[in-house]
């Protein structure tokens, strides 16, 4: 029996978590994942304030207790004093995956020069991948999918093209994507037919 992908979504925002405005990060991620993934998946969602101990505890819960294969955070990645999502993520990490953060900044620099202010990181904890994404819905989609021209050709790869193979290497789970949204890349030796 094929394991079902379990994804944790964490929106980090003082104002959204206190009800000042509606959180947009989690709905954007849910919608994007439904379009991008070609197999069923389960979600665990959390909306929390910018408090490092709480972010750390939430990430640990989603990985250690909920057994999420992938955890996506949104928000809290800039240089402001309250932006502590990357610090919390590094604090719970077993290993860092710097390529993801580097690529997110490369994608975002095509749209805004302030992308260099982003401190997004990616880490492995146990058998899970944790990725810090931007807070704005438009930027979330851009970093996941990459930069495309008017005809839909990819000019700069989005980070999600590497996520399925990364999860396969970490935990052995095999997932695939809808190529009209994002192409999952893996070496030929690692490809297999997905059983539906």
């Amino acid at each position: 029996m094929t394991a079902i992908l379990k994804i944790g979504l964490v929106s980090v925002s003082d104002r959204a978590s206190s009800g000042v405005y509606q959180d947009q990060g989690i709905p954007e991620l849910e919608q994007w994942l439904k379009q991008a993934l070609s197999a069923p998946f389960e979600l665990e969602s959390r909306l929390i304030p910018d408090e490092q101990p709480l972010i750390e505890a939430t990430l640990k819960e989603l990985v250690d207790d909920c057994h999420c294969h992938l955890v996506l955070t949104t928000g809290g990645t800039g240089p402001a004093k309250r932006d502590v999502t990357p610090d919390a993520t590094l604090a719970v990490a077993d290993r860092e995956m710097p390529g993801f953060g580097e690529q997110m900044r490369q994608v975002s620099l095509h749209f805004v020069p302030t992308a260099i202010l982003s401190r997004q990181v990616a880490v492995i904890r146990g058998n899970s991948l944790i990725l810090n994404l931007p807070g704005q819905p438009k930027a979330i989609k851009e970093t996941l999918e990459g930069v495309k021209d008017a005809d839909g050709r990819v000019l700069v790869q989005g980070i999600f093209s590497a996520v399925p193979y990364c999860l396969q290497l970490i935990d052995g789970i095999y997932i695939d994507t809808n190529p009209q949204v994002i192409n999952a890349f893996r070496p030929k030796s690692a490809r297999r037919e997905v059983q539906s």
Side-chain angles (χ1 to χ4, degrees):
M1 184 173 154
T2 308
I4 290 184
L5 176 67
K6 194 162 189 184
I7 304 172
L9 304 180
V10 183
S11 186
V12 182
S13 169
D14 285 333
R15 289 178 292 171
S17 64
S18 64
V20 174
Y21 64 74
Q22 191 74 29
D23 173 60
Q24 296 180 323
I26 289 174
E28 173 66 27
L29 281 167
E30 286 180 3
Q31 183 181 357
W32 190 86
L33 289 164
K34 284 176 188 168
Q35 295 170 346
L37 294 171
S38 59
F41 59 91
E42 295 176 3
L43 291 177
E44 286 281 345
S45 299
R46 306 286 186 273
L47 175 57
I48 58 174
D50 294 272
E51 299 289 348
Q52 185 167 338
L54 182 56
I55 300 168
E56 289 180 27
T58 302
L59 295 176
K60 288 178 184 176
E61 177 213 357
L62 290 170
V63 171
D64 303 350
D65 302 334
C66 299
H67 307 292
C68 291
H69 301 95
L70 175 65
V71 177
L72 303 174
T73 74
T74 172
T77 58
K81 286 183 179 167
R82 295 290 293 169
D83 291 336
V84 292
T85 304
D87 311 273
T89 303
L90 291 170
V92 304
D94 294 329
R95 291 186 289 168
E96 193 174 352
M97 298 290 289
F100 283 103
E102 292 163 7
Q103 190 62 14
M104 281 190 267
R105 285 180 280 279
Q106 282 300 312
V107 169
S108 295
L109 276 168
H110 278 263
F111 302 100
V112 291
T114 51
I116 57 173
L117 303 179
S118 168
R119 300 189 307 118
Q120 291 145 320
V121 299
V123 304
I124 294 170
R125 177 181 174 86
N127 290 337
S128 302
L129 176 64
I130 303 173
L131 295 172
N132 297 158
L133 298 174
Q136 295 300 319
K138 181 175 177 286
I140 290 171
K141 185 174 184 209
E142 289 164 356
T143 54
L144 291 170
E145 285 186 27
V147 182
K148 298 177 181 177
D149 67 13
D151 297 322
R153 285 188 297 261
V154 176
L155 304 175
V156 181
Q157 288 290 337
I159 61 161
F160 207 87
S161 59
V163 168
Y165 185 48
C166 186
L167 296 179
Q168 186 178 348
L169 291 170
I170 296 170
D171 191 50
I173 190 166
Y174 194 95
I175 61 166
D176 222 330
T177 57
N178 174 357
Q180 292 176 325
V181 178
I182 186 91
N183 265 314
F185 179 84
R186 47 173 57 92
K188 286 182 182 174
S189 61
R191 292 178 197 161
R192 64 176 184 244
E193 291 297 316
V194 179
Q195 304 296 318
S196 54

